[in-house]
Structures are given as structure tokens and as C-alpha cells.
Amino acid sequence: MATGGGTMPNLEGQASNFAHSGAGRSGAAASAVVAGPDPSSALGLHREPMYNWQATKSSVKERFAFLFNNELLSDVKFVVGKGRQAQRIPAHKFVLAAGSAVFDAMFNGGMATTSAEIELPDVEPAAFLALLRFLYSDEVHIGPETVMTTLYTAKKYAVPALEAHCVEFLTKHLRADNAFMLLTQARLFDEPQLASLCLDTIDKSTADAISAEGFTDIDLDTLCAVLERDTLGIRESRLFAAVVRWAEAECYRQQLPLTSENKQKVLGKALSLIRFPLMTVEEFAAGPAQSGILFDREVVNLFLHFTVNPKPRVDYIDRPRCCLRGKECSINRFQQVESRWGYSGTSDRIRFSVNRRISVVGFGLYGSIHGPTDYQVNIQIIESDKSLTLGQNDTGFSCDGTANTFRVMFKEPIEIIPNVSYTACATLKGPDSHYGTKGLKKVVHESTTGTKTTFFFLSSPGNNNGTSVEDGQIPEIIFYT
């Protein structure tokens, strides 16, 4: 008895999870996609020869469909599955070879099998029947319980059209509560389109996705691929708590005692992808500082990073995760750059409003006229009429001595409502800098799609370190529409 070889990934749990997730609950949606009964129910064989059966079929498709799972004219049998679950399924070499290069090589290649019975222990009978039905009739019979194993089988036997149907089915049933499970399978099966859609779903509904059962089942590489993203929509403290849950599940899988050292060990490179500097000092103190997962020196350095200036260097990313779609935009309100602009602890301020809803993610600031140096800076956006601080970041930036602007980002995007007055503030500590002149009261940004975002600037009353519409600091506003 010949064997088809190969090793099937462990899909039973994943398929079950998928079936009981949002996809499994969407009965109406599932029935719209599944063309007929689930293949697991289509196991009856036609064994009695029918005289002149060809005359009852009016097309080639009907005649081939009649031969599906039929002993009639069969010249090969497959023993599909393992143990008591194995099933003997008849087939026709010509039909299989015409639909799959793998079957063609199996029956007609230089190493062609001569066996009349071929074992496929790594394939599920229902998935194999779904594959055969597609090869015989172009009919697609997949459901929540069989889509994963059918995708595996379609990949194994190089039937891309059936692969595409499986991916389409998964895409239609993709939700936050199954996104991580499907992402793991998309990476396993090398389905970049599905993986991208899963990541988009995780970005949009990060909190729901990491709360789902499938999150703790992902592998380390998948975890890292997600943590590297700049587009997750969640506070870093909640993300850290979810990563700790994953580490506990991984310790259990590896049969390791549930200690802080083992959690740190299984997290490996993933730990460095947590953006601790984006947390508030209170969030850091209540969670990571007490977790035991970080070394004492790292905890001390991060506390210093939160509380003192100049800030010590830390080995963690401080780039904000911006959960916004589209392309980053920026406007510059000055037409010329001059020197020199001094600082004595007073905030540079400028008022602005916009004609449409945007999210501000940072400012561009001028740097030193004395060559490369570092600045400490606190940036804020205040709703002017209410004197309400909507966002701030106490951070720093390095400049190279040129008249360029240098990015300083908020920890989270700040939503700006049309026709409301806001005040942009920057309090710098450092040497004299460049500054802008010939300022504009109105700046229009036009996107590649023709969308126009109009900024209106007004000088901020009171002590503003001299910054005004005409001259000063805060030349750029960085935003998403």
C-alpha cells in the first residue's frame, strides 16, 4: 500500500476554535458560503453499476460529478485519515491528474506509484472529499468545521482555486475574536493576503483581539510580528498585561514552573518590543515594575526615564503606536528660517483650528544653531476655550545643527474637532535654536486624493516666549486625516 507522505499541522483545535468563534455563530452567513451539505456528510458510495447512466447526464460537468466518490470506473483508492477514523475513498486518476500537478506526478511522473491503494494519514476525510468534489464538479463545499483542513489539503495538492475559496470564506468570517487564530494559520499556510487582513482587524480591535482565547495560543514569531506594529489601538499597559498572559500559557506548554524568570525566558525577544516609555509612570509602577519580568536595573532606568531630565537611555522603543489609517501628513506654517531663538523655561505657544476632523500625532521643532545637541521638551495640545490639556509628552530630541525640523511625538493621537480653537505648546530646555519667519495665517494641505485640510493660525495671548503667527517655534504639525 502506497502512502501520500507529509505531516499535517495540528489543525483540529484551530478549526474547532474557528467554528465556535464569530464564524461559527454566524449561521446565516455560513450557509450563504457553503454550497450544499458539509462534505463530512457526503460519504455514501455508488457501488452498483448503472446501465446507460451517461444518457441521464446532459453535460460533461454532470457526468464527472456523477463519478465523484463513486466506485464506477474507479482505478485508485485512497485510505484517508488515521485509525478508526480512516475512510476508503475511490477516485479516478485521470480526473485527479487533470486538476492537480501533485496528483499528475503521483500517477504519471518518473516516480509514479503503481499501487491501487494510497494511504493519506495526514489528511482529514472531509477535507479530502471537499477537494475531490471541487476537482470533479467545481463545487465548493466548505464550512467552519472543515475550512482549515480543506485549506491544508488544497495547499498540499496544489489546487490554488480551492485555496482561494477557503481564504475568501475565512476573510468573510474574520472577527476580532478569531483574528489571532486565523493569523497563525495564514502565516503557517503562507497566505499573505489573509495575514494582512488579520493584522488590520487586530489593529482596529486590539483590545477585543488580545482578550480572545486564541491570543495565548499563538507562537512567539507571530507574537513578535504583532508587537512590532506601530498601528495597534491599545494602551501599552494593557498590551503588557496580555503579553504576560501569553507567557504564562507558553510556560504551561513548555511544562515550565510559573516563575518570573521563566516568563522572561519564554518571552525572549518579544519583551524588548513592549514600549514601556509610552506608559505613564503610574501604569509602569502598577504593572511592569512589580512583575519581576524586568531586571532591577531596567526598572530603575525606566523610572529615571519617567521622572528626571536629562533622561537616561533605555533599550525600549519610545515611538508612539498610532492606530490611524492612511498616510502621515504635515504642514509648515513658515516660509523662511532664521537664527537665533532662546529659551528660559517659558512655553512657545501658537493657537490653531482646522476645517475637518484630524488626529495630531506630533510637532516638528527647530533645533540648535550651535551644532548637534540634545533638547529636553514638553509638548502639549490644549483646548483653548476650556483650558483643557488633551495630550502631552515629556520627552527629548536630538538635532544635527541644521535648520531642519525635528520630530517630537505624542504618546497617543489627539483628536482635533473642526472649528474648535486649540493651543500647541512646546517648552524646550537647551541652547539657542533656529526659528521661523514670514508665517502664514492659513495653510492648506491637499492629499493625493484631493482632500483639503485647512489650518488657521492665531497668536496665543499671554506669555508665549515670543512665538506668534509671524515668527517663532512650532513650525510643523504632524497629523493624520
Side-chain angles (χ1 to χ4, degrees):
M1 182 182 294
T3 179
T7 302
M8 182 180 180
N10 182 12
L11 298 177
E12 293 181 7
Q14 290 92 331
S16 177
N17 286 342
F18 177 70
H20 291 94
S21 69
R25 291 193 295 272
S26 301
S31 63
V33 176
V34 181
D38 193 272
S40 58
S41 64
L43 303 180
L45 301 182
H46 298 287
R47 290 187 173 85
E48 295 299 324
M50 287 179 56
Y51 175 72
N52 200 23
W53 61 268
Q54 297 88 342
T56 67
K57 313 299 175 189
S58 60
S59 67
V60 172
K61 180 178 179 180
E62 286 186 27
R63 289 191 284 276
F64 275 90
F66 179 76
L67 295 176
F68 161 68
N69 200 22
N70 195 328
E71 299 270 9
L72 186 65
L73 304 180
S74 169
D75 55 357
V76 66
K77 288 185 175 62
F78 294 91
V79 180
V80 186
K82 296 179 181 178
R84 294 184 178 181
Q85 303 301 317
Q87 295 175 17
R88 188 170 274 98
I89 298 172
H92 306 77
K93 293 180 180 180
F94 169 76
V95 177
L96 271 57
S100 160
V102 175
F103 283 127
D104 190 20
M106 183 184 294
F107 301 132
N108 305 311
M111 302 289 288
T113 179
T114 57
S115 175
E117 198 166 86
I118 299 168
E119 289 185 346
L120 303 177
D122 63 314
V123 178
E124 290 291 323
F128 192 70
L129 285 167
L131 174 72
L132 294 191
R133 187 186 293 274
F134 184 75
L135 294 179
Y136 278 78
S137 67
D138 287 334
E139 291 182 15
V140 180
H141 282 223
I142 52 178
E145 294 285 358
T146 58
V147 61
M148 292 296 189
T149 51
T150 301
L151 177 58
Y152 166 77
T153 307
K155 284 273 189 184
K156 177 181 173 71
Y157 293 104
V159 184
L162 183 57
E163 284 181 46
H165 283 293
C166 291
V167 171
E168 180 184 10
F169 181 91
L170 292 171
T171 300
K172 287 181 178 178
H173 295 80
L174 173 60
R175 289 168 179 78
D177 62 357
N178 62 24
F180 274 107
M181 185 275 294
L182 292 183
L183 175 61
T184 300
Q185 299 306 311
R187 288 166 59 86
L188 175 67
F189 292 134
D190 190 25
E191 291 288 349
Q193 181 184 4
L194 178 59
S196 178
L197 291 170
C198 289
L199 289 169
D200 285 345
T201 299
I202 291 167
D203 286 346
K204 293 173 185 175
S205 306
T206 311
D208 290 338
I210 66 171
S211 298
E213 186 178 340
F215 170 72
T216 56
D217 295 331
I218 63 177
D219 59 273
L220 179 61
D221 286 342
T222 301
L223 177 66
C224 290
V226 172
L227 294 179
E228 287 172 348
R229 294 178 71 76
D230 289 335
T231 44
L232 299 179
I234 192 170
R235 293 194 68 83
E236 209 68 19
S237 55
R238 289 194 62 187
L239 190 61
F240 174 77
V243 168
V244 171
R245 282 184 16 248
W246 181 91
E248 291 170 351
E250 184 65 16
C251 284
Y252 179 79
R253 284 189 287 270
Q254 296 188 25
Q255 299 182 327
L256 296 172
L258 209 58
T259 65
S260 299
E261 292 77 12
N262 284 334
K263 292 178 193 176
Q264 183 186 68
K265 175 183 175 182
V266 298
L267 281 171
K269 59 185 177 180
L271 191 58
S272 66
L273 300 176
I274 299 293
R275 303 183 186 186
F276 296 105
L278 299 187
M279 299 181 187
T280 65
V281 64
E282 293 81 8
E283 288 172 335
F284 180 74
Q290 300 184 50
S291 68
I293 292 178
L294 296 174
F295 290 117
D296 289 345
R297 68 176 182 275
E298 294 175 311
V299 173
V300 170
N301 279 346
L302 282 162
F303 269 125
L304 291 173
H305 177 84
F306 289 123
T307 56
V308 305
N309 286 313
K311 298 181 180 299
R313 180 181 175 276
V314 292
D315 294 327
Y316 296 98
I317 301 167
D318 62 359
R319 184 174 64 254
R321 296 188 193 270
C322 181
C323 53
L324 302 173
R325 301 296 175 274
K327 185 179 179 182
E328 182 182 281
C329 310
S330 67
I331 55 98
N332 192 319
R333 64 191 188 92
F334 294 124
Q335 301 177 78
Q336 189 170 313
V337 182
E338 300 285 351
S339 57
R340 98 188 20 227
W341 199 260
Y343 304 100
S344 59
T346 302
S347 297
D348 286 270
R349 295 169 177 254
I350 188 70
R351 294 178 74 165
F352 71 95
S353 62
V354 291
N355 69 324
R356 61 197 304 269
R357 187 184 299 266
I358 64 170
S359 291
V360 171
V361 294
F363 300 148
L365 301 179
Y366 292 122
S368 173
I369 60 174
H370 302 296
T373 190
D374 295 332
Y375 283 85
Q376 295 301 313
V377 59
N378 176 273
I379 57 172
Q380 298 182 48
I381 287 185
I382 299 169
E383 189 174 336
S384 304
D385 295 338
K386 298 180 180 178
S387 297
L388 176 64
T389 300
L390 302 179
Q392 68 92 31
N393 193 15
D394 190 22
T395 182
F397 68 95
S398 299
C399 66
D400 58 9
T402 67
N404 295 330
T405 57
F406 300 91
R407 292 160 60 92
V408 182
M409 309 300 282
F410 290 101
K411 290 185 176 183
E412 294 184 321
I414 300 169
E415 186 176 40
I416 302 299
I417 307 299
N419 307 315
V420 174
S421 176
Y422 298 91
T423 302
C425 306
T427 309
L428 286 87
K429 293 181 181 179
D432 292 351
S433 74
H434 294 89
Y435 71 97
T437 64
K438 297 185 178 180
L440 302 169
K441 290 184 177 180
K442 176 181 174 181
V443 180
V444 179
H445 179 277
E446 185 170 355
S447 70
T448 54
T449 60
T451 303
K452 292 183 178 180
T453 305
T454 305
F455 286 76
F456 303 93
F457 292 98
L458 285 170
S459 296
S460 180
N463 195 348
N464 54 27
N465 200 43
T467 285
S468 66
V469 172
E470 292 79 18
D471 308 287
Q473 258 285 14
I474 318 180
E476 287 185 347
I477 295 179
I478 305 167
F479 66 99
Y480 282 73
T481 56

